[in-house]
């Protein structure tokens, strides 16, 4: 059974989601929290496999709660489930460890599938959300990308990916946002490392910061 914890300040909504999930046969809801602070405390005691996390809540928002839960339970998969598709929320959530970002208009079958896929290790980013991330990535200062291209001979795509690396995107998240295969994403990143003259992500970020 996949152990799921729900976090939403609208308890009646959380109870509705709980009823839906428990029709799946392989998902059990082990707890419901009404805000981020309560979620952190509950997660430590319940050790859920997957957390469905609202983003706007009193006391502690979903992004802060995601970060704290991932610090204590790094293997826990956290999916943001919200009505807000603002790119700042999406980027903040993913950069703080969220495995995916869903909107509350999702159907019950799709939600159950998303939980199963997140539990299996997939990044959950519907096309609408992936486009938001792509658009946000494209809005990164072109001036900074130009500096990178001039300094290291990066292509337009490589410079864009380099900025995503700087923003904290994982290889898989870059692949999802740009609709690349995992292998293609890794190839781009390897080429960037080669052009920067580095061997790992930490060194690459340091090198990029020198320029931008």
């Amino acid at each position: 059974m996949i152990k799921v914890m729900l976090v939403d300040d609208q308890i009646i909504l959380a109870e509705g989601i709980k009823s839906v999930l428990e029709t799946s046969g392989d998902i059990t809801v082990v707890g419901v929290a009404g805000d981020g602070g309560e979620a952190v405390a509950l997660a430590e005691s319940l050790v859920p496999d997957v957390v469905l996390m609202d983003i706007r809540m009193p006391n502690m928002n979903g992004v802060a709660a995601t970060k704290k839960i991932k610090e204590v339970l790094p293997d826990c998969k956290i999916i943001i489930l919200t009505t807000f598709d603002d790119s700042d929320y999406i980027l903040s959530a993913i950069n703080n460890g969220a495995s995916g970002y869903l909107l509350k208009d999702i159907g019950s079958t799709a939600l159950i599938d998303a939980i199963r896929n997140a539990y299996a290790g997939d990044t959950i980013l519907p096309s609408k959300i992936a486009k938001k991330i792509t658009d946000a990535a494209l809005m990164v200062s072109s001036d900074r990308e130009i500096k990178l291209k001039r300094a290291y001979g990066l292509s337009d795509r490589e410079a864009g990916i380099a900025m995503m690396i700087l923003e904290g995107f994982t290889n898989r998240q870059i692949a999802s946002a740009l609709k690349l295969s995992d292998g293609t994403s890794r190839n781009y990143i390897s080429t960037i490392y080669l052009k920067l003259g580095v061997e790992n992500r930490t060194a690459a970020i340091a090198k990029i910061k020198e320029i931008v």
Side-chain angles (χ1 to χ4, degrees):
M1 293 287 277
I2 302 171
K3 297 187 298 179
V4 174
M5 187 176 82
L6 306 178
V7 187
D8 200 306
D9 59 336
Q10 299 179 52
I11 298 300
I12 191 168
L13 180 60
E15 292 295 339
I17 294 171
K18 178 180 178 180
S19 297
V20 166
L21 296 183
E22 293 193 331
T23 66
S24 67
D26 61 343
I27 294 171
T28 181
V29 175
V30 294
V32 178
D35 62 57
E38 186 182 348
V40 174
L42 259 184
E44 287 190 48
S45 61
L46 298 176
V47 192
D49 299 309
V50 179
V51 175
L52 286 183
M53 178 80 72
D54 193 13
I55 206 155
R56 282 191 182 176
M57 297 178 291
N59 301 322
M60 182 187 295
N61 67 34
V63 172
T66 294
K67 181 179 181 181
K68 287 184 176 294
I69 290 173
K70 291 295 287 186
E71 286 171 354
V72 178
L73 302 172
D75 293 332
C76 180
K77 312 300 183 185
I78 301 177
I79 303 173
I80 301 298
L81 182 64
T82 182
T83 55
F84 304 100
D85 65 352
D86 183 277
S87 59
D88 287 341
Y89 280 138
I90 299 167
L91 290 170
S92 294
I94 290 174
N95 288 342
N96 281 285
S99 297
Y101 198 106
L102 298 173
L103 298 179
K104 286 182 178 175
D105 60 4
I106 189 171
S108 56
T109 301
L111 179 59
I112 289 168
D113 286 343
I115 289 170
R116 290 171 177 153
N117 292 338
Y119 178 68
D122 292 342
T123 299
I124 312 302
L125 290 172
S127 57
K128 181 180 179 182
I129 298 300
K131 185 178 185 304
K132 285 274 185 180
I133 293 177
T134 304
D135 291 346
L138 292 174
M139 289 175 65
V140 172
S141 171
S142 60
D143 181 53
R144 296 200 291 172
E145 292 189 15
I146 288 168
K147 288 178 180 176
L148 275 176
K149 288 189 284 188
R150 285 177 179 167
Y152 299 113
L154 301 184
S155 67
D156 289 346
R157 174 52 66 89
E158 289 164 356
I161 291 174
M163 293 309 303
M164 293 176 80
I165 291 171
L166 181 64
E167 293 292 332
F169 282 73
T170 66
N171 291 12
R172 177 169 284 182
Q173 288 162 356
I174 290 170
S176 295
L178 299 181
K179 297 184 179 178
L180 304 172
S181 69
D182 285 350
T184 300
S185 173
R186 285 195 299 270
N187 288 340
Y188 271 118
I189 291 166
S190 294
T191 301
I192 291 167
Y193 288 178
L194 184 64
K195 290 184 177 181
L196 296 182
V198 300
E199 295 182 356
N200 57 55
R201 181 173 292 261
T202 301
I205 291 171
K207 204 88 169 184
I208 293 166
K209 282 181 177 177
E210 289 176 8
I211 299 298
V212 302

